[in-house]
Amino acid sequence: MDEVLKLKSKLKEINTRARGISDLPVSERAEFGRKINAEREQVLAEIKAVEQVALDTEVSPIDVTAWSGVNEAMPEFYPVTFGSKHPLMTELDRVIDIYQMMGFDVVESRQLDDEFHMFDVLNFPKGHPARDGYDTFRTEEGLIPPAHTSTMQHRVLKEYKKRLDEGGAIAVVVPGRVFRNEDVDATHEHTFYQCEGVYVSKDCTLSQMLGILREFFEKYYEQKLNIKTQPGYFPFTEPSLEFMIEKPKSLGGKKGDFLEMLGCGMIHPNVLKAAGIDPEEYHGFAWGGGIDRLAMLRYGLSDVRLFESGNLNFLREFSL
Ligand code: DAH
């Protein structure tokens, strides 16, 4: 291989010289061109010959089936490294595992949705300013890359309604990628991940929801937590709450340092009705919150943009 490298650098040198043709008087250019082309042909033929010998030799110098951590022949040219799972996917798996242990089914969200699922069926009145709050992107065809995983609520309710008819409950979480057309900064990204939860039964209550959420966050952060709620507004829940946890000391928090982790509430009767579920007979609660935010707190990150940046130094910190 050394020989090929030497010949290739000779070729480079010839090519550099060839560029000097423009400095010559026109009358000398033809002769110069012929000579330099002959030199080039000669070196190319030599490279081909050496490579052919290498190919014909019983053991090829390059064994494409062999694995080694580095390419020993040319470590500086071809360092071999391996990718790793994206930290958000690791966290998403962790989140899903906890909910599955609690008995929730998992349904994947979609990356392109429509006005009906994004707003209409979630009880957003037509022309209501709450629609603008979601900073939605729109395709030329008028479709919407979902701005929250709540776009899946109607589908989940319809699909799982049979569980109610069988005397059971609907218990589903929906992880998914969401998109918002807003200015990007350390705490806002145009693309991020959320996880939605939907629960419906004959007799479920808001305090059961708070119990589920507390259990989830305590499992995720592997410690007891102080939780708090404050009133919120979402057209698809009534009442609506913002769910907060006190930032644990072990993660750099101080007493009273409450962070909003998700939005939640009792599912609005109109949302149940739209899926053919009688709100007189059944009640539901739902919640939705960002995965990026969960992970940032867990790892002490202060810039959400790192997740979508493709920055290898950042990603390597999470490789196993
Ligand atoms: N989709 C809301 C958001 O992204 C969060 C949310 C609020 C989800 C209340 C819910 C809910 O399921 O019931 O801002």
Side-chain angles (χ1 to χ4, degrees), residues 8-9 25 27 30 39 46 59 61 68-69 81 97 103 109-110 119 143 145 171 189 234 256 269 278 290 306 320:
K8 284 192 173 164
S9 79
S27 57
E39 267 187 68
E46 282 175 39
V59 182
S68 80
T81 53
D97 278 354
S109 178
R110 40 166 69 208
F119 294 121
L143 295 171
E189 192 34 298
F234 303 101
D278 179 2
L306 284 167
L320 294 176

Side-chain angles (χ1 to χ4, degrees), residues 77-231:
F77 291 131
Y78 303 117
V80 179
T81 53
F82 289 90
S84 56
K85 203 164 176 175
H86 191 283
L88 281 180
M89 294 302 105
T90 309
E91 294 320 296
L92 208 58
D93 283 350
R94 222 189 282 272
V95 167
I96 291 169
D97 278 354
I98 298 172
Y99 283 125
Q100 277 184 322
M101 272 190 300
M102 293 164 101
F104 284 84
D105 278 3
V106 181
V107 169
E108 225 182 318
S109 178
R110 40 166 69 208
Q111 298 198 44
L112 201 54
D113 217 313
D114 53 28
E115 194 81 23
F116 176 74
H117 291 91
M118 176 71 214
F119 294 121
D120 302 342
V121 82
L122 287 173
N123 197 39
F124 284 81
K126 282 243 183 304
H128 193 280
R131 293 191 180 215
D132 301 334
Y134 282 85
D135 300 310
T136 45
F137 287 108
R138 272 163 218 277
T139 67
E140 282 170 4
E141 298 81 4
L143 295 171
I144 299 178
H148 55 177
T149 41
S150 305
T151 51
M152 293 298 290
Q153 275 198 19
H154 180 66
R155 294 189 182 92
V156 164
L157 292 173
K158 271 203 319 204
E159 174 81 21
Y160 281 80
K161 204 172 64 177
K162 52 184 178 293
R163 294 271 167 92
L164 300 176
D165 302 334
E166 293 158 7
I170 299 176
V172 176
V173 290
V174 189
R177 201 175 199 196
V178 295
F179 310 88
R180 292 205 187 167
N181 186 5
E182 59 185 357
D183 289 341
V184 169
D185 62 27
T187 53
H188 297 90
E189 192 34 298
H190 51 69
T191 301
F192 55 103
Y193 286 80
Q194 281 191 336
C195 185
E196 188 85 3
V198 180
Y199 190 92
V200 181
S201 73
K202 280 209 152 123
D203 50 11
C204 67
T205 64
L206 200 61
S207 63
Q208 285 172 345
M209 178 186 75
L210 296 180
I212 289 172
L213 293 177
R214 171 194 284 283
E215 176 75 6
F216 168 77
F217 282 100
E218 291 188 347
K219 282 253 152 50
Y220 181 79
Y221 289 114
E222 300 168 293
Q223 58 189 298
K224 290 274 166 221
L225 293 169
N226 289 327
I227 63 168
K228 186 165 104 169
T229 58
Q230 63 185 27

